[in-house]
Amino acid sequence: MAYLVAVDSGHGMETAGKRTPAIPEEWFGKKKGEVIHEKEFNKPAAEYLIAALKRCGFQTLNVSPGTSDLPLTDRWKAANAAKADIFISKHYNASTGNWGNAHGIETIISQYAGEDSKNLARLVQAELVQAHKREDRGVKADIVQSGINIAVLHNTNMPAILTESGFMDNLAEAKTMLDPEFQKADGEATCKGICNYFGVKYVEEILTPTKSITKTSPKEAITWLQQKLNTALPGVTYIPLIADGVFGTRTRIAVLIYWEFKGWKQDGKEDGWKVGPGTIKELARL
Ligand SMILES: [Zn+2]
């Protein structure tokens, strides 16, 4: 039977504090002076991870669908109820909250973690460091890193880790939060570490046409999508989108907000951030 991996993307779009300082110039379509929310990295990174895990034959449970800040209790309870084999939470670090020099990658485990969590943490940490070529800050206990028992690490019944792929208040590392290539590399690296932990073969992605609007849809289709989202979501964060035909982070998050607005369950037929016929049909009515 396939292993079940519970995947959590930390926080929500509006969670207090979890954001960069004002950015000094335009980055990936985000304007100078705006902030990047931690969720804008956590969410796509978790979705890339889920896509990679499925490709490698894992079952997945997204314990934080949508972009709102679900109670931590809901997250670990969902993983426990489903009897997930492991729990992974995706995050981005912060030091002072002002631009500074803290940098690198660390993976966090409960201070009470057993050997399985430690082993999983070491394997994922190694892959993330290799993929992102950032300083290896090592595996740390939650109580050491943040002074608390982190709920999703402490209350989960299975091996559980939390990854911090860089610092939100480091200019160079903050910039990559919105980079789809970086987000994807993060998901793939995390998946490789998980494969190593279970002794499952990592399967490379073969890009097939029709799979993802990001890679295959004509520019006009994405431009149309952006225009429709602008109509559908007046006054919402990120709206209006620039209708440039590029399916970047802002557009992806706007799609997620639209689904949340419609009350659609995102682990259902639309499967992560891929825009499917249901969304197209609904937007076409506008
Ligand atoms: Zn976080």
mmCIF file of all heavy atoms in Angstrom, residues 57-103:
data_model
loop_
_atom_site.group_PDB
_atom_site.id
_atom_site.type_symbol
_atom_site.label_atom_id
_atom_site.label_comp_id
_atom_site.label_asym_id
_atom_site.label_seq_id
_atom_site.Cartn_x
_atom_site.Cartn_y
_atom_site.Cartn_z
ATOM 1 N N GLY A 57 4.237 8.013 -6.563
ATOM 2 C CA GLY A 57 3.404 6.911 -6.074
ATOM 3 C C GLY A 57 2.891 7.052 -4.652
ATOM 4 O O GLY A 57 2.303 6.116 -4.114
ATOM 5 N N PHE A 58 3.101 8.215 -4.043
ATOM 6 C CA PHE A 58 2.595 8.424 -2.684
ATOM 7 C C PHE A 58 1.134 8.850 -2.726
ATOM 8 O O PHE A 58 0.667 9.437 -3.698
ATOM 9 C CB PHE A 58 3.386 9.531 -1.974
ATOM 10 C CG PHE A 58 4.794 9.147 -1.628
ATOM 11 C CD1 PHE A 58 5.844 9.449 -2.480
ATOM 12 C CD2 PHE A 58 5.075 8.480 -0.441
ATOM 13 C CE1 PHE A 58 7.149 9.091 -2.178
ATOM 14 C CE2 PHE A 58 6.372 8.124 -0.116
ATOM 15 C CZ PHE A 58 7.412 8.428 -0.991
ATOM 16 N N GLN A 59 0.437 8.578 -1.620
ATOM 17 C CA GLN A 59 -0.848 9.224 -1.390
ATOM 18 C C GLN A 59 -0.567 10.490 -0.599
ATOM 19 O O GLN A 59 0.394 10.535 0.185
ATOM 20 C CB GLN A 59 -1.771 8.305 -0.598
ATOM 21 C CG GLN A 59 -2.220 7.104 -1.423
ATOM 22 C CD GLN A 59 -3.275 6.297 -0.704
ATOM 23 O OE1 GLN A 59 -3.147 6.024 0.486
ATOM 24 N NE2 GLN A 59 -4.309 5.909 -1.412
ATOM 25 N N THR A 60 -1.376 11.515 -0.816
ATOM 26 C CA THR A 60 -1.125 12.774 -0.124
ATOM 27 C C THR A 60 -2.401 13.282 0.543
ATOM 28 O O THR A 60 -3.503 12.995 0.095
ATOM 29 C CB THR A 60 -0.623 13.869 -1.093
ATOM 30 O OG1 THR A 60 -1.599 14.084 -2.105
ATOM 31 C CG2 THR A 60 0.701 13.475 -1.731
ATOM 32 N N LEU A 61 -2.197 14.020 1.604
ATOM 33 C CA LEU A 61 -3.311 14.675 2.296
ATOM 34 C C LEU A 61 -2.903 16.123 2.515
ATOM 35 O O LEU A 61 -1.937 16.401 3.231
ATOM 36 C CB LEU A 61 -3.564 13.992 3.651
ATOM 37 C CG LEU A 61 -4.588 14.680 4.550
ATOM 38 C CD1 LEU A 61 -5.987 14.548 3.972
ATOM 39 C CD2 LEU A 61 -4.527 14.101 5.965
ATOM 40 N N ASN A 62 -3.606 17.036 1.862
ATOM 41 C CA ASN A 62 -3.336 18.460 2.047
ATOM 42 C C ASN A 62 -4.112 18.930 3.269
ATOM 43 O O ASN A 62 -5.326 19.056 3.221
ATOM 44 C CB ASN A 62 -3.755 19.218 0.785
ATOM 45 C CG ASN A 62 -3.438 20.697 0.871
ATOM 46 O OD1 ASN A 62 -3.037 21.192 1.925
ATOM 47 N ND2 ASN A 62 -3.617 21.400 -0.236
ATOM 48 N N VAL A 63 -3.407 19.172 4.363
ATOM 49 C CA VAL A 63 -4.111 19.529 5.606
ATOM 50 C C VAL A 63 -4.375 21.025 5.715
ATOM 51 O O VAL A 63 -4.977 21.478 6.693
ATOM 52 C CB VAL A 63 -3.359 19.033 6.873
ATOM 53 C CG1 VAL A 63 -3.219 17.520 6.860
ATOM 54 C CG2 VAL A 63 -2.008 19.713 7.012
ATOM 55 N N SER A 64 -3.927 21.804 4.728
ATOM 56 C CA SER A 64 -4.217 23.245 4.743
ATOM 57 C C SER A 64 -4.617 23.728 3.357
ATOM 58 O O SER A 64 -3.910 24.521 2.758
ATOM 59 C CB SER A 64 -3.020 24.029 5.266
ATOM 60 O OG SER A 64 -1.840 23.648 4.582
ATOM 61 N N PRO A 65 -5.738 23.217 2.841
ATOM 62 C CA PRO A 65 -6.212 23.716 1.551
ATOM 63 C C PRO A 65 -6.616 25.186 1.682
ATOM 64 O O PRO A 65 -6.868 25.651 2.783
ATOM 65 C CB PRO A 65 -7.419 22.825 1.245
ATOM 66 C CG PRO A 65 -7.885 22.340 2.563
ATOM 67 C CD PRO A 65 -6.664 22.265 3.439
ATOM 68 N N GLY A 66 -6.665 25.874 0.574
ATOM 69 C CA GLY A 66 -7.054 27.286 0.610
ATOM 70 C C GLY A 66 -5.901 28.177 1.009
ATOM 71 O O GLY A 66 -4.752 27.729 1.105
ATOM 72 N N THR A 67 -6.210 29.437 1.248
ATOM 73 C CA THR A 67 -5.154 30.386 1.588
ATOM 74 C C THR A 67 -5.375 31.020 2.962
ATOM 75 O O THR A 67 -4.618 31.862 3.384
ATOM 76 C CB THR A 67 -5.084 31.525 0.544
ATOM 77 O OG1 THR A 67 -6.356 32.174 0.510
ATOM 78 C CG2 THR A 67 -4.740 31.000 -0.834
ATOM 79 N N SER A 68 -6.456 30.617 3.647
ATOM 80 C CA SER A 68 -6.707 31.206 4.966
ATOM 81 C C SER A 68 -5.890 30.468 6.033
ATOM 82 O O SER A 68 -5.353 29.403 5.786
ATOM 83 C CB SER A 68 -8.196 31.155 5.289
ATOM 84 O OG SER A 68 -8.671 29.848 5.160
ATOM 85 N N ASP A 69 -5.826 31.062 7.202
ATOM 86 C CA ASP A 69 -5.008 30.495 8.276
ATOM 87 C C ASP A 69 -5.852 29.520 9.094
ATOM 88 O O ASP A 69 -6.534 29.908 10.031
ATOM 89 C CB ASP A 69 -4.472 31.619 9.162
ATOM 90 C CG ASP A 69 -3.312 31.134 10.019
ATOM 91 O OD1 ASP A 69 -3.028 29.915 10.006
ATOM 92 O OD2 ASP A 69 -2.691 31.974 10.694
ATOM 93 N N LEU A 70 -5.827 28.256 8.705
ATOM 94 C CA LEU A 70 -6.603 27.242 9.422
ATOM 95 C C LEU A 70 -6.024 27.039 10.814
ATOM 96 O O LEU A 70 -4.809 27.129 10.998
ATOM 97 C CB LEU A 70 -6.528 25.905 8.689
ATOM 98 C CG LEU A 70 -7.191 25.828 7.319
ATOM 99 C CD1 LEU A 70 -6.992 24.438 6.741
ATOM 100 C CD2 LEU A 70 -8.670 26.147 7.420
ATOM 101 N N PRO A 71 -6.880 26.754 11.802
ATOM 102 C CA PRO A 71 -6.349 26.465 13.140
ATOM 103 C C PRO A 71 -5.352 25.303 13.090
ATOM 104 O O PRO A 71 -5.556 24.346 12.346
ATOM 105 C CB PRO A 71 -7.595 26.053 13.920
ATOM 106 C CG PRO A 71 -8.741 26.634 13.171
ATOM 107 C CD PRO A 71 -8.330 26.670 11.735
ATOM 108 N N LEU A 72 -4.290 25.433 13.878
ATOM 109 C CA LEU A 72 -3.261 24.379 13.888
ATOM 110 C C LEU A 72 -3.871 23.041 14.285
ATOM 111 O O LEU A 72 -3.478 21.988 13.790
ATOM 112 C CB LEU A 72 -2.140 24.762 14.844
ATOM 113 C CG LEU A 72 -1.359 26.017 14.440
ATOM 114 C CD1 LEU A 72 -0.354 26.393 15.512
ATOM 115 C CD2 LEU A 72 -0.663 25.816 13.105
ATOM 116 N N THR A 73 -4.838 23.089 15.185
ATOM 117 C CA THR A 73 -5.498 21.863 15.652
ATOM 118 C C THR A 73 -6.098 21.086 14.475
ATOM 119 O O THR A 73 -6.004 19.864 14.412
ATOM 120 C CB THR A 73 -6.620 22.224 16.637
ATOM 121 O OG1 THR A 73 -6.094 23.172 17.560
ATOM 122 C CG2 THR A 73 -7.109 21.012 17.388
ATOM 123 N N ASP A 74 -6.736 21.832 13.551
ATOM 124 C CA ASP A 74 -7.334 21.173 12.379
ATOM 125 C C ASP A 74 -6.275 20.440 11.570
ATOM 126 O O ASP A 74 -6.520 19.382 11.008
ATOM 127 C CB ASP A 74 -8.006 22.210 11.460
ATOM 128 C CG ASP A 74 -9.249 22.819 12.085
ATOM 129 O OD1 ASP A 74 -9.553 22.461 13.238
ATOM 130 O OD2 ASP A 74 -9.901 23.646 11.422
ATOM 131 N N ARG A 75 -5.102 21.037 11.496
ATOM 132 C CA ARG A 75 -4.050 20.489 10.643
ATOM 133 C C ARG A 75 -3.527 19.159 11.205
ATOM 134 O O ARG A 75 -3.460 18.168 10.512
ATOM 135 C CB ARG A 75 -2.908 21.506 10.500
ATOM 136 C CG ARG A 75 -3.390 22.851 9.968
ATOM 137 C CD ARG A 75 -2.234 23.834 9.840
ATOM 138 N NE ARG A 75 -2.728 25.210 9.651
ATOM 139 C CZ ARG A 75 -2.279 26.058 8.747
ATOM 140 N NH1 ARG A 75 -1.314 25.714 7.927
ATOM 141 N NH2 ARG A 75 -2.765 27.272 8.656
ATOM 142 N N TRP A 76 -3.142 19.174 12.489
ATOM 143 C CA TRP A 76 -2.571 17.920 13.018
ATOM 144 C C TRP A 76 -3.637 16.867 13.250
ATOM 145 O O TRP A 76 -3.380 15.670 13.106
ATOM 146 C CB TRP A 76 -1.663 18.156 14.225
ATOM 147 C CG TRP A 76 -2.250 18.811 15.454
ATOM 148 C CD1 TRP A 76 -2.110 20.116 15.825
ATOM 149 C CD2 TRP A 76 -3.029 18.190 16.489
ATOM 150 N NE1 TRP A 76 -2.756 20.354 17.013
ATOM 151 C CE2 TRP A 76 -3.334 19.189 17.449
ATOM 152 C CE3 TRP A 76 -3.492 16.895 16.714
ATOM 153 C CZ2 TRP A 76 -4.079 18.940 18.603
ATOM 154 C CZ3 TRP A 76 -4.241 16.640 17.850
ATOM 155 C CH2 TRP A 76 -4.527 17.648 18.778
ATOM 156 N N LYS A 77 -4.869 17.309 13.570
ATOM 157 C CA LYS A 77 -5.944 16.327 13.763
ATOM 158 C C LYS A 77 -6.268 15.610 12.458
ATOM 159 O O LYS A 77 -6.556 14.409 12.455
ATOM 160 C CB LYS A 77 -7.193 17.009 14.315
ATOM 161 C CG LYS A 77 -7.154 17.179 15.826
ATOM 162 C CD LYS A 77 -8.492 17.604 16.401
ATOM 163 C CE LYS A 77 -8.413 17.642 17.929
ATOM 164 N NZ LYS A 77 -9.565 18.308 18.518
ATOM 165 N N ALA A 78 -6.255 16.364 11.343
ATOM 166 C CA ALA A 78 -6.531 15.748 10.034
ATOM 167 C C ALA A 78 -5.484 14.684 9.722
ATOM 168 O O ALA A 78 -5.808 13.592 9.235
ATOM 169 C CB ALA A 78 -6.550 16.818 8.943
ATOM 170 N N ALA A 79 -4.241 14.986 10.020
ATOM 171 C CA ALA A 79 -3.159 14.024 9.749
ATOM 172 C C ALA A 79 -3.287 12.796 10.654
ATOM 173 O O ALA A 79 -3.132 11.657 10.202
ATOM 174 C CB ALA A 79 -1.803 14.695 9.954
ATOM 175 N N ASN A 80 -3.603 13.014 11.915
ATOM 176 C CA ASN A 80 -3.766 11.890 12.846
ATOM 177 C C ASN A 80 -4.956 11.024 12.459
ATOM 178 O O ASN A 80 -4.872 9.786 12.487
ATOM 179 C CB ASN A 80 -3.946 12.411 14.274
ATOM 180 C CG ASN A 80 -2.649 12.930 14.877
ATOM 181 O OD1 ASN A 80 -1.584 12.788 14.271
ATOM 182 N ND2 ASN A 80 -2.732 13.534 16.041
ATOM 183 N N ALA A 81 -6.084 11.692 12.091
ATOM 184 C CA ALA A 81 -7.297 10.937 11.738
ATOM 185 C C ALA A 81 -7.059 10.067 10.514
ATOM 186 O O ALA A 81 -7.580 8.948 10.424
ATOM 187 C CB ALA A 81 -8.453 11.903 11.494
ATOM 188 N N ALA A 82 -6.281 10.592 9.579
ATOM 189 C CA ALA A 82 -6.021 9.844 8.335
ATOM 190 C C ALA A 82 -4.913 8.805 8.523
ATOM 191 O O ALA A 82 -4.604 8.048 7.610
ATOM 192 C CB ALA A 82 -5.646 10.808 7.209
ATOM 193 N N LYS A 83 -4.302 8.810 9.711
ATOM 194 C CA LYS A 83 -3.165 7.917 9.992
ATOM 195 C C LYS A 83 -2.054 8.075 8.954
ATOM 196 O O LYS A 83 -1.539 7.097 8.398
ATOM 197 C CB LYS A 83 -3.629 6.458 10.066
ATOM 198 C CG LYS A 83 -4.578 6.194 11.229
ATOM 199 C CD LYS A 83 -4.820 4.697 11.392
ATOM 200 C CE LYS A 83 -5.454 4.336 12.722
ATOM 201 N NZ LYS A 83 -6.650 5.112 13.095
ATOM 202 N N ALA A 84 -1.732 9.332 8.675
ATOM 203 C CA ALA A 84 -0.646 9.613 7.730
ATOM 204 C C ALA A 84 0.647 8.981 8.235
ATOM 205 O O ALA A 84 0.854 8.846 9.444
ATOM 206 C CB ALA A 84 -0.472 11.120 7.572
ATOM 207 N N ASP A 85 1.520 8.612 7.296
ATOM 208 C CA ASP A 85 2.799 7.990 7.675
ATOM 209 C C ASP A 85 3.823 9.028 8.114
ATOM 210 O O ASP A 85 4.662 8.749 8.970
ATOM 211 C CB ASP A 85 3.339 7.177 6.505
ATOM 212 C CG ASP A 85 2.476 5.955 6.247
ATOM 213 O OD1 ASP A 85 2.473 5.056 7.106
ATOM 214 O OD2 ASP A 85 1.773 5.915 5.216
ATOM 215 N N ILE A 86 3.763 10.203 7.488
ATOM 216 C CA ILE A 86 4.635 11.310 7.912
ATOM 217 C C ILE A 86 3.882 12.628 7.727
ATOM 218 O O ILE A 86 2.874 12.684 7.022
ATOM 219 C CB ILE A 86 5.981 11.377 7.125
ATOM 220 C CG1 ILE A 86 5.720 11.514 5.625
ATOM 221 C CG2 ILE A 86 6.869 10.198 7.442
ATOM 222 C CD1 ILE A 86 6.975 11.839 4.820
ATOM 223 N N PHE A 87 4.413 13.685 8.349
ATOM 224 C CA PHE A 87 3.814 15.021 8.276
ATOM 225 C C PHE A 87 4.911 16.011 7.898
ATOM 226 O O PHE A 87 5.971 16.035 8.520
ATOM 227 C CB PHE A 87 3.222 15.383 9.638
ATOM 228 C CG PHE A 87 2.486 16.689 9.676
ATOM 229 C CD1 PHE A 87 1.101 16.725 9.564
ATOM 230 C CD2 PHE A 87 3.175 17.895 9.837
ATOM 231 C CE1 PHE A 87 0.406 17.932 9.610
ATOM 232 C CE2 PHE A 87 2.494 19.099 9.885
ATOM 233 C CZ PHE A 87 1.108 19.117 9.773
ATOM 234 N N ILE A 88 4.638 16.840 6.859
ATOM 235 C CA ILE A 88 5.618 17.835 6.399
ATOM 236 C C ILE A 88 4.961 19.203 6.379
ATOM 237 O O ILE A 88 3.911 19.374 5.777
ATOM 238 C CB ILE A 88 6.060 17.558 4.935
ATOM 239 C CG1 ILE A 88 6.417 16.103 4.711
ATOM 240 C CG2 ILE A 88 7.186 18.508 4.515
ATOM 241 C CD1 ILE A 88 7.755 15.700 5.219
ATOM 242 N N SER A 89 5.581 20.183 7.012
ATOM 243 C CA SER A 89 5.055 21.538 6.976
ATOM 244 C C SER A 89 6.067 22.463 6.296
ATOM 245 O O SER A 89 7.238 22.480 6.667
ATOM 246 C CB SER A 89 4.763 22.024 8.403
ATOM 247 O OG SER A 89 4.053 23.235 8.371
ATOM 248 N N LYS A 90 5.611 23.205 5.278
ATOM 249 C CA LYS A 90 6.505 24.086 4.517
ATOM 250 C C LYS A 90 6.447 25.517 5.048
ATOM 251 O O LYS A 90 5.355 26.067 5.219
ATOM 252 C CB LYS A 90 6.091 24.109 3.030
ATOM 253 C CG LYS A 90 6.117 22.773 2.329
ATOM 254 C CD LYS A 90 7.478 22.104 2.365
ATOM 255 C CE LYS A 90 8.567 22.867 1.644
ATOM 256 N NZ LYS A 90 9.880 22.130 1.751
ATOM 257 N N HIS A 91 7.624 26.098 5.270
ATOM 258 C CA HIS A 91 7.720 27.462 5.816
ATOM 259 C C HIS A 91 8.908 28.222 5.236
ATOM 260 O O HIS A 91 9.765 27.645 4.551
ATOM 261 C CB HIS A 91 7.895 27.420 7.339
ATOM 262 C CG HIS A 91 6.655 27.038 8.069
ATOM 263 N ND1 HIS A 91 5.887 27.929 8.760
ATOM 264 C CD2 HIS A 91 6.039 25.834 8.193
ATOM 265 C CE1 HIS A 91 4.851 27.299 9.308
ATOM 266 N NE2 HIS A 91 4.923 26.026 8.968
ATOM 267 N N TYR A 92 8.930 29.525 5.567
ATOM 268 C CA TYR A 92 10.071 30.398 5.263
ATOM 269 C C TYR A 92 10.379 31.161 6.545
ATOM 270 O O TYR A 92 9.469 31.626 7.227
ATOM 271 C CB TYR A 92 9.695 31.362 4.127
ATOM 272 C CG TYR A 92 10.750 31.489 3.051
ATOM 273 C CD1 TYR A 92 10.942 30.478 2.112
ATOM 274 C CD2 TYR A 92 11.542 32.631 2.964
ATOM 275 C CE1 TYR A 92 11.902 30.598 1.120
ATOM 276 C CE2 TYR A 92 12.509 32.762 1.967
ATOM 277 C CZ TYR A 92 12.681 31.745 1.049
ATOM 278 O OH TYR A 92 13.631 31.874 0.061
ATOM 279 N N ASN A 93 11.634 31.281 6.852
ATOM 280 C CA ASN A 93 12.111 31.772 8.139
ATOM 281 C C ASN A 93 12.111 33.303 8.236
ATOM 282 O O ASN A 93 12.009 33.979 7.220
ATOM 283 C CB ASN A 93 13.548 31.275 8.312
ATOM 284 C CG ASN A 93 13.815 30.748 9.693
ATOM 285 O OD1 ASN A 93 13.190 31.168 10.649
ATOM 286 N ND2 ASN A 93 14.757 29.825 9.798
ATOM 287 N N ALA A 94 12.244 33.803 9.424
ATOM 288 C CA ALA A 94 12.468 35.240 9.629
ATOM 289 C C ALA A 94 13.357 35.426 10.848
ATOM 290 O O ALA A 94 13.319 34.633 11.779
ATOM 291 C CB ALA A 94 11.144 35.961 9.838
ATOM 292 N N SER A 95 14.143 36.480 10.814
ATOM 293 C CA SER A 95 15.023 36.775 11.950
ATOM 294 C C SER A 95 14.486 37.978 12.719
ATOM 295 O O SER A 95 13.735 37.829 13.673
ATOM 296 C CB SER A 95 16.442 37.019 11.436
ATOM 297 O OG SER A 95 17.292 37.390 12.484
ATOM 298 N N THR A 96 14.810 39.175 12.270
ATOM 299 C CA THR A 96 14.396 40.368 13.024
ATOM 300 C C THR A 96 13.129 41.013 12.460
ATOM 301 O O THR A 96 12.508 41.835 13.128
ATOM 302 C CB THR A 96 15.508 41.443 12.954
ATOM 303 O OG1 THR A 96 15.668 41.822 11.576
ATOM 304 C CG2 THR A 96 16.829 40.910 13.485
ATOM 305 N N GLY A 97 12.783 40.680 11.222
ATOM 306 C CA GLY A 97 11.646 41.357 10.591
ATOM 307 C C GLY A 97 12.077 42.590 9.800
ATOM 308 O O GLY A 97 11.286 43.180 9.072
ATOM 309 N N ASN A 98 13.331 42.969 9.958
ATOM 310 C CA ASN A 98 13.928 44.018 9.124
ATOM 311 C C ASN A 98 14.986 43.377 8.242
ATOM 312 O O ASN A 98 15.545 42.341 8.609
ATOM 313 C CB ASN A 98 14.586 45.102 9.988
ATOM 314 C CG ASN A 98 13.571 45.795 10.877
ATOM 315 O OD1 ASN A 98 12.529 46.245 10.401
ATOM 316 N ND2 ASN A 98 13.874 45.853 12.163
ATOM 317 N N TRP A 99 15.276 43.996 7.100
ATOM 318 C CA TRP A 99 16.279 43.397 6.212
ATOM 319 C C TRP A 99 17.588 43.184 6.961
ATOM 320 O O TRP A 99 18.073 44.093 7.632
ATOM 321 C CB TRP A 99 16.523 44.294 4.989
ATOM 322 C CG TRP A 99 15.332 44.408 4.083
ATOM 323 C CD1 TRP A 99 14.668 45.547 3.747
ATOM 324 C CD2 TRP A 99 14.677 43.332 3.384
ATOM 325 N NE1 TRP A 99 13.625 45.253 2.898
ATOM 326 C CE2 TRP A 99 13.614 43.911 2.649
ATOM 327 C CE3 TRP A 99 14.867 41.953 3.305
ATOM 328 C CZ2 TRP A 99 12.748 43.148 1.856
ATOM 329 C CZ3 TRP A 99 14.011 41.197 2.517
ATOM 330 C CH2 TRP A 99 12.968 41.793 1.803
ATOM 331 N N GLY A 100 18.112 41.977 6.862
ATOM 332 C CA GLY A 100 19.340 41.652 7.591
ATOM 333 C C GLY A 100 20.101 40.528 6.929
ATOM 334 O O GLY A 100 19.853 40.190 5.769
ATOM 335 N N ASN A 101 21.021 39.942 7.686
ATOM 336 C CA ASN A 101 21.953 38.982 7.099
ATOM 337 C C ASN A 101 21.670 37.518 7.432
ATOM 338 O O ASN A 101 22.384 36.637 6.958
ATOM 339 C CB ASN A 101 23.383 39.303 7.554
ATOM 340 C CG ASN A 101 23.831 40.656 7.033
ATOM 341 O OD1 ASN A 101 23.506 41.029 5.903
ATOM 342 N ND2 ASN A 101 24.546 41.403 7.858
ATOM 343 N N ALA A 102 20.657 37.248 8.274
ATOM 344 C CA ALA A 102 20.355 35.847 8.592
ATOM 345 C C ALA A 102 20.013 35.124 7.291
ATOM 346 O O ALA A 102 19.298 35.668 6.449
ATOM 347 C CB ALA A 102 19.198 35.767 9.567
ATOM 348 N N HIS A 103 20.527 33.919 7.124
ATOM 349 C CA HIS A 103 20.295 33.217 5.867
ATOM 350 C C HIS A 103 20.463 31.717 6.050
ATOM 351 O O HIS A 103 21.053 31.251 7.028
ATOM 352 C CB HIS A 103 21.253 33.717 4.783
ATOM 353 C CG HIS A 103 22.694 33.467 5.109
ATOM 354 N ND1 HIS A 103 23.407 34.273 5.971
ATOM 355 C CD2 HIS A 103 23.546 32.485 4.715
ATOM 356 C CE1 HIS A 103 24.643 33.811 6.081
ATOM 357 N NE2 HIS A 103 24.755 32.713 5.342
#
